[in-house]
Short mmCIF file of all heavy atoms in Angstrom, two decimals:
data_model
loop_
_atom_site.label_atom_id
_atom_site.label_comp_id
_atom_site.label_asym_id
_atom_site.label_seq_id
_atom_site.Cartn_x
_atom_site.Cartn_y
_atom_site.Cartn_z
N VAL A 2 24.38 35.42 -70.29
CA VAL A 2 25.29 36.27 -69.52
C VAL A 2 25.08 36.15 -68.03
O VAL A 2 25.82 36.74 -67.24
CB VAL A 2 25.14 37.76 -69.94
CG1 VAL A 2 25.42 37.92 -71.42
CG2 VAL A 2 23.75 38.29 -69.59
N ALA A 3 24.05 35.38 -67.61
CA ALA A 3 23.78 35.24 -66.18
C ALA A 3 24.99 34.65 -65.46
O ALA A 3 25.64 33.73 -65.96
CB ALA A 3 22.56 34.36 -65.95
N GLU A 4 25.28 35.19 -64.33
CA GLU A 4 26.40 34.70 -63.53
C GLU A 4 26.04 33.36 -62.89
O GLU A 4 24.98 33.21 -62.30
CB GLU A 4 26.76 35.72 -62.44
CG GLU A 4 27.25 37.06 -62.98
CD GLU A 4 28.61 36.95 -63.65
OE1 GLU A 4 29.36 36.00 -63.31
OE2 GLU A 4 28.91 37.79 -64.51
N GLY A 5 26.91 32.40 -63.02
CA GLY A 5 26.69 31.11 -62.39
C GLY A 5 27.18 31.10 -60.95
O GLY A 5 27.64 32.11 -60.42
N ASP A 6 27.08 29.95 -60.34
CA ASP A 6 27.54 29.80 -58.97
C ASP A 6 29.03 29.50 -58.99
O ASP A 6 29.46 28.36 -59.10
CB ASP A 6 26.77 28.66 -58.29
CG ASP A 6 27.10 28.53 -56.81
OD1 ASP A 6 28.01 29.26 -56.35
OD2 ASP A 6 26.49 27.71 -56.13
N HIS A 7 29.83 30.59 -58.91
CA HIS A 7 31.28 30.42 -59.02
C HIS A 7 31.88 29.73 -57.80
O HIS A 7 33.03 29.27 -57.85
CB HIS A 7 31.95 31.78 -59.23
CG HIS A 7 31.57 32.44 -60.53
ND1 HIS A 7 31.89 31.91 -61.75
CD2 HIS A 7 30.89 33.58 -60.77
CE1 HIS A 7 31.43 32.69 -62.71
NE2 HIS A 7 30.81 33.71 -62.14
N ASP A 8 31.13 29.68 -56.72
CA ASP A 8 31.67 29.08 -55.50
C ASP A 8 31.48 27.57 -55.45
O ASP A 8 32.09 26.90 -54.61
CB ASP A 8 31.00 29.71 -54.26
CG ASP A 8 31.33 31.18 -54.13
OD1 ASP A 8 32.45 31.57 -54.56
OD2 ASP A 8 30.49 31.93 -53.61
N LEU A 9 30.66 27.02 -56.35
CA LEU A 9 30.36 25.60 -56.30
C LEU A 9 31.58 24.78 -56.70
O LEU A 9 32.19 25.01 -57.75
CB LEU A 9 29.19 25.26 -57.22
CG LEU A 9 28.71 23.82 -57.18
CD1 LEU A 9 28.13 23.49 -55.80
CD2 LEU A 9 27.67 23.57 -58.26
N ARG A 10 31.96 23.81 -55.87
CA ARG A 10 33.05 22.89 -56.17
C ARG A 10 32.59 21.50 -55.74
O ARG A 10 32.26 21.28 -54.58
CB ARG A 10 34.34 23.26 -55.40
CG ARG A 10 34.99 24.56 -55.87
CD ARG A 10 35.56 24.40 -57.29
NE ARG A 10 36.25 25.59 -57.74
CZ ARG A 10 35.67 26.59 -58.40
NH1 ARG A 10 34.36 26.53 -58.62
NH2 ARG A 10 36.36 27.62 -58.80
N LEU A 11 32.56 20.58 -56.70
CA LEU A 11 32.06 19.24 -56.43
C LEU A 11 33.16 18.21 -56.65
O LEU A 11 33.89 18.25 -57.64
CB LEU A 11 30.88 18.91 -57.36
CG LEU A 11 29.65 19.81 -57.28
CD1 LEU A 11 28.63 19.39 -58.33
CD2 LEU A 11 29.04 19.75 -55.89
N SER A 12 33.21 17.25 -55.72
CA SER A 12 34.10 16.11 -55.92
C SER A 12 33.46 15.17 -56.93
O SER A 12 32.29 15.31 -57.30
CB SER A 12 34.32 15.39 -54.59
OG SER A 12 33.10 14.79 -54.15
N VAL A 13 34.21 14.18 -57.36
CA VAL A 13 33.66 13.19 -58.30
C VAL A 13 32.45 12.49 -57.67
O VAL A 13 31.42 12.30 -58.33
CB VAL A 13 34.73 12.16 -58.69
CG1 VAL A 13 34.12 11.03 -59.50
CG2 VAL A 13 35.84 12.82 -59.48
N ASP A 14 32.57 12.12 -56.41
CA ASP A 14 31.46 11.43 -55.75
C ASP A 14 30.21 12.32 -55.68
O ASP A 14 29.09 11.84 -55.89
CB ASP A 14 31.86 11.00 -54.33
CG ASP A 14 32.90 9.87 -54.35
OD1 ASP A 14 33.00 9.20 -55.41
OD2 ASP A 14 33.57 9.66 -53.33
N GLU A 15 30.42 13.59 -55.40
CA GLU A 15 29.29 14.52 -55.32
C GLU A 15 28.67 14.75 -56.70
O GLU A 15 27.45 14.85 -56.84
CB GLU A 15 29.76 15.84 -54.72
CG GLU A 15 30.10 15.73 -53.23
CD GLU A 15 30.88 16.91 -52.71
OE1 GLU A 15 31.52 17.63 -53.54
OE2 GLU A 15 30.89 17.12 -51.49
N LEU A 16 29.53 14.80 -57.71
CA LEU A 16 29.01 14.95 -59.07
C LEU A 16 28.19 13.73 -59.48
O LEU A 16 27.12 13.86 -60.09
CB LEU A 16 30.18 15.16 -60.05
CG LEU A 16 29.80 15.45 -61.50
CD1 LEU A 16 29.15 16.83 -61.61
CD2 LEU A 16 31.03 15.38 -62.41
N CYS A 17 28.67 12.57 -59.11
CA CYS A 17 27.94 11.34 -59.41
C CYS A 17 26.59 11.32 -58.70
O CYS A 17 25.56 10.95 -59.28
CB CYS A 17 28.77 10.12 -59.00
SG CYS A 17 30.22 9.84 -60.04
N ALA A 18 26.58 11.71 -57.44
CA ALA A 18 25.34 11.71 -56.67
C ALA A 18 24.33 12.70 -57.25
O ALA A 18 23.12 12.45 -57.24
CB ALA A 18 25.64 12.06 -55.21
N ALA A 19 24.82 13.81 -57.78
CA ALA A 19 23.93 14.84 -58.31
C ALA A 19 23.39 14.51 -59.69
O ALA A 19 22.34 15.03 -60.10
CB ALA A 19 24.66 16.18 -58.36
N THR A 20 24.10 13.65 -60.45
CA THR A 20 23.71 13.38 -61.83
C THR A 20 23.25 11.95 -62.08
O THR A 20 22.68 11.66 -63.14
CB THR A 20 24.89 13.66 -62.77
OG1 THR A 20 25.99 12.80 -62.43
CG2 THR A 20 25.34 15.12 -62.65
N GLY A 21 23.52 11.05 -61.16
CA GLY A 21 23.19 9.65 -61.37
C GLY A 21 24.25 8.90 -62.16
O GLY A 21 24.09 7.71 -62.46
N LEU A 22 25.35 9.56 -62.50
CA LEU A 22 26.45 8.90 -63.19
C LEU A 22 27.30 8.12 -62.19
O LEU A 22 27.33 8.45 -61.00
CB LEU A 22 27.32 9.94 -63.91
CG LEU A 22 26.67 10.74 -65.03
CD1 LEU A 22 27.58 11.88 -65.45
CD2 LEU A 22 26.36 9.83 -66.23
N ASP A 23 28.01 7.12 -62.70
CA ASP A 23 29.00 6.49 -61.84
C ASP A 23 30.38 7.05 -62.19
O ASP A 23 30.55 7.77 -63.19
CB ASP A 23 28.98 4.96 -61.98
CG ASP A 23 29.17 4.48 -63.41
OD1 ASP A 23 29.88 5.17 -64.19
OD2 ASP A 23 28.63 3.42 -63.77
N ALA A 24 31.37 6.72 -61.38
CA ALA A 24 32.70 7.30 -61.56
C ALA A 24 33.29 6.94 -62.92
O ALA A 24 33.97 7.75 -63.56
CB ALA A 24 33.63 6.83 -60.43
N LYS A 25 33.00 5.72 -63.41
CA LYS A 25 33.51 5.31 -64.71
C LYS A 25 32.94 6.17 -65.83
O LYS A 25 33.65 6.55 -66.77
CB LYS A 25 33.18 3.83 -64.95
CG LYS A 25 33.71 3.29 -66.27
CD LYS A 25 33.36 1.81 -66.43
CE LYS A 25 33.87 1.28 -67.77
NZ LYS A 25 33.51 -0.17 -67.96
N ALA A 26 31.65 6.49 -65.72
CA ALA A 26 31.02 7.34 -66.73
C ALA A 26 31.61 8.74 -66.72
O ALA A 26 31.83 9.35 -67.78
CB ALA A 26 29.51 7.39 -66.51
N VAL A 27 31.89 9.27 -65.54
CA VAL A 27 32.50 10.60 -65.44
C VAL A 27 33.87 10.59 -66.08
O VAL A 27 34.25 11.52 -66.82
CB VAL A 27 32.57 11.06 -63.97
CG1 VAL A 27 33.37 12.35 -63.85
CG2 VAL A 27 31.17 11.24 -63.39
N VAL A 28 34.64 9.53 -65.83
CA VAL A 28 35.97 9.41 -66.46
C VAL A 28 35.83 9.37 -67.97
O VAL A 28 36.59 10.00 -68.71
CB VAL A 28 36.70 8.15 -65.94
CG1 VAL A 28 37.96 7.90 -66.75
CG2 VAL A 28 37.04 8.31 -64.46
N GLY A 29 34.81 8.63 -68.45
CA GLY A 29 34.58 8.56 -69.89
C GLY A 29 34.26 9.93 -70.48
O GLY A 29 34.77 10.29 -71.54
N LEU A 30 33.43 10.69 -69.80
CA LEU A 30 33.10 12.03 -70.27
C LEU A 30 34.33 12.93 -70.26
O LEU A 30 34.54 13.75 -71.16
CB LEU A 30 32.00 12.64 -69.40
CG LEU A 30 30.62 11.96 -69.48
CD1 LEU A 30 29.66 12.61 -68.49
CD2 LEU A 30 30.06 12.05 -70.90
N ALA A 31 35.17 12.76 -69.24
CA ALA A 31 36.40 13.55 -69.17
C ALA A 31 37.36 13.18 -70.29
O ALA A 31 38.00 14.04 -70.88
CB ALA A 31 37.05 13.36 -67.80
N ASP A 32 37.43 11.88 -70.63
CA ASP A 32 38.31 11.43 -71.70
C ASP A 32 37.95 12.06 -73.04
O ASP A 32 38.82 12.31 -73.89
CB ASP A 32 38.27 9.91 -71.83
CG ASP A 32 38.98 9.20 -70.68
OD1 ASP A 32 39.77 9.87 -69.99
OD2 ASP A 32 38.72 8.00 -70.48
N PHE A 33 36.66 12.32 -73.23
CA PHE A 33 36.21 12.92 -74.49
C PHE A 33 36.04 14.44 -74.39
O PHE A 33 35.44 15.07 -75.26
CB PHE A 33 34.90 12.27 -74.95
CG PHE A 33 35.09 10.84 -75.37
CD1 PHE A 33 34.62 9.81 -74.59
CD2 PHE A 33 35.76 10.52 -76.55
CE1 PHE A 33 34.79 8.48 -74.98
CE2 PHE A 33 35.94 9.20 -76.94
CZ PHE A 33 35.47 8.18 -76.15
N GLY A 34 36.58 15.01 -73.32
CA GLY A 34 36.63 16.46 -73.21
C GLY A 34 35.34 17.14 -72.83
O GLY A 34 35.21 18.35 -72.97
N LEU A 35 34.38 16.38 -72.30
CA LEU A 35 33.10 16.98 -71.99
C LEU A 35 33.08 17.64 -70.62
O LEU A 35 32.62 18.77 -70.47
CB LEU A 35 32.00 15.93 -72.11
CG LEU A 35 31.74 15.48 -73.55
CD1 LEU A 35 31.05 14.13 -73.59
CD2 LEU A 35 30.91 16.50 -74.29
N VAL A 36 33.53 16.95 -69.60
CA VAL A 36 33.63 17.55 -68.27
C VAL A 36 35.11 17.69 -67.93
O VAL A 36 35.93 16.80 -68.22
CB VAL A 36 32.92 16.70 -67.20
CG1 VAL A 36 31.42 16.75 -67.42
CG2 VAL A 36 33.40 15.25 -67.20
N ARG A 37 35.44 18.82 -67.35
CA ARG A 37 36.84 19.13 -67.06
C ARG A 37 36.96 19.62 -65.63
O ARG A 37 36.47 20.71 -65.30
CB ARG A 37 37.36 20.20 -68.01
CG ARG A 37 37.37 19.77 -69.48
CD ARG A 37 37.61 20.95 -70.39
NE ARG A 37 37.74 20.55 -71.79
CZ ARG A 37 37.77 21.39 -72.82
NH1 ARG A 37 37.64 22.69 -72.59
NH2 ARG A 37 37.91 20.95 -74.06
N PRO A 38 37.57 18.85 -64.77
CA PRO A 38 37.76 19.34 -63.40
C PRO A 38 38.75 20.50 -63.39
O PRO A 38 39.60 20.64 -64.29
CB PRO A 38 38.32 18.12 -62.68
CG PRO A 38 38.98 17.31 -63.75
CD PRO A 38 38.18 17.53 -64.99
N GLY A 39 38.63 21.33 -62.39
CA GLY A 39 39.57 22.43 -62.25
C GLY A 39 40.92 21.94 -61.76
O GLY A 39 41.14 20.75 -61.52
N LYS A 40 41.85 22.85 -61.62
CA LYS A 40 43.20 22.50 -61.16
C LYS A 40 43.17 21.87 -59.78
O LYS A 40 44.07 21.10 -59.42
CB LYS A 40 44.09 23.74 -61.16
CG LYS A 40 44.35 24.29 -62.56
CD LYS A 40 45.25 25.52 -62.50
CE LYS A 40 45.53 26.07 -63.89
NZ LYS A 40 46.39 27.28 -63.85
N ASP A 41 42.12 22.20 -59.03
CA ASP A 41 42.01 21.63 -57.68
C ASP A 41 41.32 20.27 -57.69
O ASP A 41 41.12 19.66 -56.63
CB ASP A 41 41.27 22.60 -56.75
CG ASP A 41 39.87 22.97 -57.28
OD1 ASP A 41 39.46 22.42 -58.34
OD2 ASP A 41 39.20 23.81 -56.66
N GLY A 42 40.93 19.79 -58.88
CA GLY A 42 40.30 18.48 -58.98
C GLY A 42 38.81 18.48 -58.78
O GLY A 42 38.17 17.42 -58.85
N TYR A 43 38.22 19.65 -58.56
CA TYR A 43 36.78 19.74 -58.33
C TYR A 43 36.06 20.22 -59.60
O TYR A 43 36.65 20.89 -60.45
CB TYR A 43 36.48 20.70 -57.17
CG TYR A 43 36.88 20.16 -55.82
CD1 TYR A 43 38.07 20.56 -55.22
CD2 TYR A 43 36.07 19.26 -55.14
CE1 TYR A 43 38.45 20.07 -53.98
CE2 TYR A 43 36.44 18.75 -53.90
CZ TYR A 43 37.64 19.16 -53.32
OH TYR A 43 38.02 18.66 -52.11
N TYR A 44 34.77 19.89 -59.67
CA TYR A 44 33.95 20.28 -60.81
C TYR A 44 33.08 21.47 -60.41
O TYR A 44 32.52 21.52 -59.31
CB TYR A 44 33.06 19.11 -61.26
CG TYR A 44 33.86 17.94 -61.77
CD1 TYR A 44 34.31 16.96 -60.89
CD2 TYR A 44 34.16 17.82 -63.12
CE1 TYR A 44 35.06 15.88 -61.36
CE2 TYR A 44 34.90 16.74 -63.59
CZ TYR A 44 35.35 15.78 -62.70
OH TYR A 44 36.08 14.71 -63.16
N ASP A 45 32.96 22.45 -61.33
CA ASP A 45 32.19 23.65 -61.02
C ASP A 45 30.74 23.53 -61.51
O ASP A 45 30.31 22.45 -61.95
CB ASP A 45 32.86 24.89 -61.61
CG ASP A 45 32.99 24.81 -63.14
OD1 ASP A 45 32.35 23.94 -63.76
OD2 ASP A 45 33.74 25.64 -63.71
N ALA A 46 30.00 24.65 -61.43
CA ALA A 46 28.58 24.63 -61.81
C ALA A 46 28.40 24.29 -63.28
O ALA A 46 27.44 23.60 -63.65
CB ALA A 46 27.94 25.98 -61.49
N ASP A 47 29.30 24.77 -64.14
CA ASP A 47 29.19 24.42 -65.56
C ASP A 47 29.40 22.92 -65.76
O ASP A 47 28.70 22.29 -66.56
CB ASP A 47 30.24 25.20 -66.37
CG ASP A 47 29.92 26.69 -66.43
OD1 ASP A 47 28.73 27.04 -66.36
OD2 ASP A 47 30.86 27.49 -66.56
N GLY A 48 30.36 22.38 -65.06
CA GLY A 48 30.59 20.94 -65.15
C GLY A 48 29.39 20.14 -64.71
O GLY A 48 29.05 19.11 -65.31
#
């Protein structure tokens, strides 16, 4: 129930830098429904 960081918004490049993934891997995860960018195209703390 802990509140996450609702203000966090990451671009694909920032998400890659934070996780060590490349853009292709992020697209692959998105294709299989694992990571979902918001309507603004950014990824949140859960992502």
Side-chain angles (χ1 to χ4, degrees):
V2 301
E4 296 291 336
D6 185 354
H7 295 296
D8 295 330
L9 185 64
R10 291 292 183 270
L11 299 176
S12 67
V13 172
D14 290 341
E15 290 165 338
L16 185 68
C17 290
T20 61
L22 296 170
D23 56 31
K25 182 179 179 181
V27 172
V28 171
L30 294 176
D32 288 342
F33 291 108
L35 291 159
V36 291
R37 297 168 175 170
K40 294 180 179 179
D41 57 3
Y43 290 100
Y44 296 88
D45 60 13
D47 291 331

